[in-house]
Amino acid sequence: MPEGLEAEIWRRAAQPIVGRSIRHVWCDERVAPDGLVDTLNDARILAVDRTGKVVQIVTDAGVLGLHLGMTGRIEIDGTAPIERLEYASGADRPEWDRLRLTTLPAATVDGSGAPAVRMNDPRRLGRLSLDEHLELGPDLLTLSAAELGGALGRRTVAIKSLLLDQAAVAGLGNLCADEVLFWAGVAPGRSADELGEKEIVAIARACRTRLSKMLEAGGSTHGALSPQVRAGPAVCPRDGAPLQRSTIGARTAVWCPAHQR
Ligand SMILES: [Zn+2]
């Protein structure tokens, strides 16, 4: 699914729409709050931000949140910043559109009609919101050890499950959570309340440094535990030990028992 890194790529790509006015909004009412169209018509776009996995279009009339769900993707001015999501089919049909937003000035100088923002979501698991304040934890790209320690508290859930809890840390999905635990050397099934200070520091540091590298490389599928590595009978890229697959919190964790303790 799109994780915080993909949302950040879309946020960056959407910066050209800042300063424009919204001319027309169409949305799939099944995934939108009441009044969304009336609220946003004629509003001026002040910024495009991101909180966790949510891309937020800040206007002078309200904050439009794009929650991408499992299979959502965004086009800006008729082009896709992420061409093909490796976890999605790659197909693109107009009937899967959940949001089309046109602006003045228009997306293209020649006025070819592409929406400035288009959200397409085959499985319709994403949604739109008008909430300014989302109940989300500290961000995956700036997470400090103190913030992570605060989120862990005395919770007895597996650290992998806690990292996927958006109220604890915002923006991590299955691939990135496995990746930071891999680089921090912490087994995904360890109870959160048993982690030592060094391990908490290592996880927070892996979030800031490794995820930033993956972001620049193209997103959540560009880590050491990429979908290609995960698909195979895989060996650890660090020490050559066989990787293990475990189900934790109904998600598949891929990890190395040799160096993740
Ligand atoms: Zn290893």
Side-chain angles (χ1 to χ4, degrees):
M1 71 166 73
E3 302 192 14
L5 300 186
E6 281 67 37
E8 176 64 14
I9 292 168
W10 283 315
R11 182 197 71 81
R12 292 179 181 183
Q15 295 309 307
I17 73 171
V18 174
R20 297 188 199 167
S21 293
I22 295 174
R23 195 178 64 120
H24 183 256
V25 183
W26 174 88
C27 68
D28 181 337
E29 290 177 352
R30 294 170 296 180
V31 298
D34 289 342
L36 182 140
V37 169
D38 287 344
T39 301
L40 295 175
N41 266 332
D42 298 324
R44 194 172 133 82
I45 298 169
L46 305 176
V48 180
D49 293 339
R50 176 188 62 82
T51 302
K53 301 177 187 178
V54 184
V55 177
Q56 292 171 299
I57 299 175
V58 182
T59 77
D60 59 3
V63 179
L64 170 62
L66 278 54
H67 306 244
L68 282 306
M70 294 289 285
T71 53
R73 53 192 283 282
I74 298 174
E75 284 183 9
I76 307 295
D77 288 346
T79 59
I82 301 172
E83 197 51 54
R84 189 182 185 295
L85 295 169
E86 291 181 40
Y87 33 76
S89 69
D92 178 5
R93 295 189 202 153
E95 63 263 34
W96 295 338
D97 280 2
R98 308 301 169 208
L99 174 76
R100 287 193 294 270
L101 188 154
T102 60
T103 57
L104 278 175
T108 49
V109 179
D110 66 5
S112 62
V117 180
R118 171 174 177 253
M119 178 170 144
N120 186 269
D121 179 15
R123 292 180 59 186
R124 199 167 26 97
L125 294 167
R127 64 185 179 92
L128 305 168
S129 70
L130 280 176
D131 307 325
E132 192 163 349
H133 300 291
L134 304 167
E135 302 287 322
L136 296 172
D139 193 73
L140 78 171
L141 288 172
T142 55
L143 183 71
S144 71
E147 286 172 333
L148 179 59
L152 298 181
R154 295 190 169 278
R155 294 182 58 180
T156 53
V157 295
I159 180 62
K160 168 79 185 284
S161 299
L162 188 127
L163 291 177
L164 291 176
D165 176 355
Q166 299 300 299
V169 180
L172 291 172
N174 200 43
L175 292 177
C176 286
D178 278 358
E179 191 76 19
V180 298
L181 291 172
F182 176 87
W183 290 106
V186 175
R190 289 273 303 283
S191 182
D193 66 337
E194 286 174 3
L195 296 182
E197 183 62 25
K198 271 188 180 170
E199 292 168 317
I200 294 171
V201 167
I203 293 170
R205 182 185 298 130
C207 277
R208 296 192 306 271
T209 59
R210 290 291 162 183
L211 298 183
S212 299
K213 285 198 174 84
M214 287 163 69
L215 174 64
E216 301 313 326
S220 62
T221 54
H222 292 259
L225 301 177
S226 67
Q228 291 80 3
V229 170
R230 300 168 73 93
V235 295
C236 174
R238 286 178 82 170
D239 51 44
L243 292 176
Q244 188 160 328
R245 240 168 259 279
S246 312
T247 301
I248 296 170
R251 307 295 302 273
T252 299
V254 173
W255 61 291
C256 172
H259 84 267
Q260 289 177 256
R261 300 301 179 100

